[in-house]
């Protein structure tokens, strides 16, 4: 095989460059870090100095307050829940990466978004499909009952060809479904490899910025739940959105993991129906299972991520362990945090769980990323351990520190208000979150140490 001289292998750890692939980096000794990269041709130093290379001649200093603060111009997608996670609409010229498990609804959502954009504006969006045939995309559009007469479709996977065509059409919005199928002719590695994803994405990002074209990139997720491809992909784009949700349930959440133009952790909620994804504008109560009777091991908490409160149910199952190392399984919550909370429970609450398997699940496939769930987790564990039910009109939230203290969490009053709206009458919350007397019609139990909370049992 004739090697293309324009590529080299770069260590992703230390940056050392090698002309051929090696299993171990000769410089730093790390294994499997060499990745094929394109070499950019740079002028030699002498030429560089003559031509004012590095932009010396072009760039100039200015005072920060002299910079005109132009607000970013946004284009509403017409799907309110999507606009919400984007921070109030799609910013022109921005690049948005959408990740999620296969079959969760990425292509469906983006096709709906493009159709909606083409309806409410005079744009003609472009849908580039590398995974599905035009027939499949058209079949989906028909199934969704979408008006797609103004959406342009392109079946192509080579990024240079995509950009040549796009440069002629100049759409304001385009979708690349998916980035894993796209490749650049500059590299010889297979599509989907780290090097291909990174270089193709870099070309697309540059194109988006230079031409003010907003691009949605669909990204696959690995078995471990991370976006397949280099971490650097997340750094290159402006916004990273993740689909969450149980395959068994029809609810789908979209979370902003990173957003240069809005709040992170903002959630958009949808339900997958026979006609695609439908928005749920008031999602607060949908993730609670509403048991007929009180059940042990289930605690309702009010989480507050992004800009709205959400009632979620934390379930725990504590069972005698039959293996030398007790199991700690946590779905929807950080497993490391569970280990830490169980240690705090032992040290400051006097309840040992080292010989017990502990399983935690957040109902509905929701992921809770905030520390306000700490208290709910421990109370659910205790409730299951002692087989004692909690009042089903009780909500709980609060962060637990390593010293056994219970710390207040942001937006306490909003969380309580939401709970009252859904008919909850009691709350165990950090002392620092107690609202002024008479504001809420609710029985509030303030706690400042873990032992106080345990006493409520
Ligand atoms: P899709 O958008 O193709 O998923 P992704 O692009 O993330 O892989 O979604 C496909 C799933 O959605 C498939 O399991 C069928 C389901 N679906 C519906 O339930 N209703 C619909 O109207 C459509 C189009 C798909
Ligand atoms: Mg798809």
């Amino acid at each position: 095989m004739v090697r293309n001289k324009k590529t080299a292998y770069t260590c992703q750890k230390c940056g050392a460059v090698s002309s051929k692939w090696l299993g171990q980096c000769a410089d730093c000794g790390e294994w499997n870090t060499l990745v094929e990269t394109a070499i950019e041709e740079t002028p030699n130093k002498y030429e560089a100095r003559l031509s004012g290379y590095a932009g010396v001649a072009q760039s100039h200093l200015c005072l920060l307050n002299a910079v005109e603060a132009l607000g970013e111009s946004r284009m509403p997608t017409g799907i309110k829940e999507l606009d919400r996670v984007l921070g109030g609409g799609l910013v022109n010229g921005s690049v948005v990466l959408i990740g999620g498990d296969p079959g969760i609804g990425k292509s469906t959502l983006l096709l709906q978004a493009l159709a909606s954009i083409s309806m409410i504006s005079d744009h003609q969006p472009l849908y580039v499909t590398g995974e599905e045939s035009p027939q499949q995309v058209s079949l989906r559009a028909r199934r969704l009952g979408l008006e797609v007469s103004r959406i342009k479709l392109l079946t192509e996977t080579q990024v240079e060809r995509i950009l040549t065509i796009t440069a002629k059409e100049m759409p304001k919005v385009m979708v690349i479904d998916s980035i894993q199928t796209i490749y650049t002719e500059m590299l010889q590695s297979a599509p989907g490899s780290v090097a291909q994803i990174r270089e193709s994405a870099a070309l697309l990002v540059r194109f988006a910025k230079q031409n003010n074209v907003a691009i949605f990139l669909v990204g696959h997720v690995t078995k471990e739940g991370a976006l397949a491809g280099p971490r650097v992909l997340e750094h290159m784009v402006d916004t990273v959105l993740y689909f969450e949700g149980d395959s068994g349930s029809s609810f789908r959440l979209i979370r902003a993991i990173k957003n240069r133009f809005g709040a992170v952790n903002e959630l958009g909620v949808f339900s997958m129906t026979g006609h695609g994804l439908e928005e749920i504008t008031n999602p607060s109560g949908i993730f609670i299972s509403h048991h007929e009777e009180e059940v042990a091991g289930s605690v309702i908490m009010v989480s507050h991520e992004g800009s709205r409160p959400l009632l979620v149910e934390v379930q725990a199952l504590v069972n005698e362990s039959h293996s030398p190392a007790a199991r700690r399984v946590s779905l929807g919550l950080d497993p490391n945090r569970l280990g830490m909370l169980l240690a705090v429970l032992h040290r400051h609450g006097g309840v040992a769980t080292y010989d017990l398997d502990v399983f935690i699940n957040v109902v509905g496939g929701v992921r809770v990323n905030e520390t306000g769930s700490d208290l709910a987790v421990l109370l659910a564990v205790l409730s299951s351990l002692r087989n004692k039910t909690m009042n089903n009109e009780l909500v709980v939230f609060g962060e637990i520190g390593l010293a056994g203290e219970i710390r207040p969490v942001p937006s306490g009053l909003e969380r309580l208000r939401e709970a009252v709206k859904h008919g909850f009458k009691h709350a165990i919350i950090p002392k620092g979150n107690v609202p002024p007397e008479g504001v809420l019609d609710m029985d509030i139990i303030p706690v400042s140490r873990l032992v106080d909370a345990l006493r409520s049992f």
Side-chain angles (χ1 to χ4, degrees), residues 64 92 107 161 198 210 253 310 322 327 336 366 408 424 427:
L64 188 50
N92 292 330
S107 309
R161 270 183 250 150
R198 193 184 52 188
Q210 282 171 351
L253 283 117
L310 192 66
H322 292 285
R327 299 191 68 192
N336 292 328
V366 189
F424 288 89

Side-chain angles (χ1 to χ4, degrees), residues 103 105-108 127 131-132 140 177 218 220:
K106 302 180 292 293
S107 309
T108 306
Y127 191 101
E131 279 186 359
E132 293 167 313
R140 177 182 293 121
D177 191 359
V218 174
H220 286 289

Side-chain angles (χ1 to χ4, degrees), residues 101-108 132 140 143-144 272-276:
D101 293 331
I104 200 158
K106 302 180 292 293
S107 309
T108 306
E132 293 167 313
R140 177 182 293 121
R143 189 173 155 192
L144 294 171
M272 181 60 100
T273 68
H275 334 276

Side-chain angles (χ1 to χ4, degrees), residues 310-431:
L310 192 66
L311 288 159
V312 291
E313 179 176 342
V314 179
Q315 291 188 333
L317 180 71
V318 180
N319 201 16
E320 202 177 308
S321 179
H322 292 285
S323 58
R327 299 191 68 192
R328 306 268 176 264
V329 179
S330 147
L331 300 174
L333 284 165
D334 181 8
N336 292 328
R337 192 136 191 115
L338 173 62
M340 189 196 95
L341 289 173
L342 292 176
V344 175
L345 182 65
H346 187 193
R347 186 70 167 63
H348 296 282
V351 180
T353 54
Y354 53 81
D355 53 353
L356 299 168
D357 288 337
V358 179
F359 303 91
I360 299 283
N361 180 34
V362 182
V363 174
V366 189
R367 210 161 288 176
V368 179
N369 285 349
E370 58 146 358
T371 52
S373 58
D374 292 356
L375 192 55
V377 170
L378 283 194
L379 290 183
V381 166
L382 269 184
S383 163
S384 170
L385 180 65
R386 303 196 170 151
N387 201 21
K388 215 177 140 190
T389 61
M390 305 284 281
N391 187 327
N392 61 6
E393 292 185 329
L394 173 82
V395 287
V396 174
F397 59 83
E399 177 180 332
I400 297 180
L402 286 182
E405 80 278 18
I406 295 183
R407 296 207 205 100
V409 291
S411 321
L413 188 58
E414 266 185 277
R415 295 181 200 235
L416 289 172
R417 283 222 167 97
E418 195 63 26
V420 170
K421 216 163 81 188
H422 284 84
F424 288 89
K425 304 220 160 55
H426 314 276
I428 303 182
I429 59 166
K431 209 172 212 159

Side-chain angles (χ1 to χ4, degrees), residues 2 32 35 54 140 278 296 314 418 423 434:
V2 185
N32 294 327
V35 161
R140 177 182 293 121
E278 260 169 35
V314 179
E418 195 63 26
V434 174

Side-chain angles (χ1 to χ4, degrees), residues 126-171:
L126 174 65
Y127 191 101
V128 181
T129 168
E131 279 186 359
E132 293 167 313
S133 64
Q135 287 76 22
Q136 281 171 304
V137 180
S138 133
L139 207 67
R140 177 182 293 121
R142 218 161 294 155
R143 189 173 155 192
L144 294 171
L146 293 174
E147 166 55 48
V148 289
S149 55
R150 292 156 58 92
I151 298 181
K152 294 195 172 150
L153 188 67
L154 174 65
T155 329
E156 179 58 71
T157 51
Q158 200 208 61
V159 67
E160 284 83 5
R161 270 183 250 150
I162 294 175
L163 292 182
T164 313
I165 295 170
T166 314
K168 275 191 223 125
E169 292 289 325
M170 273 307 162

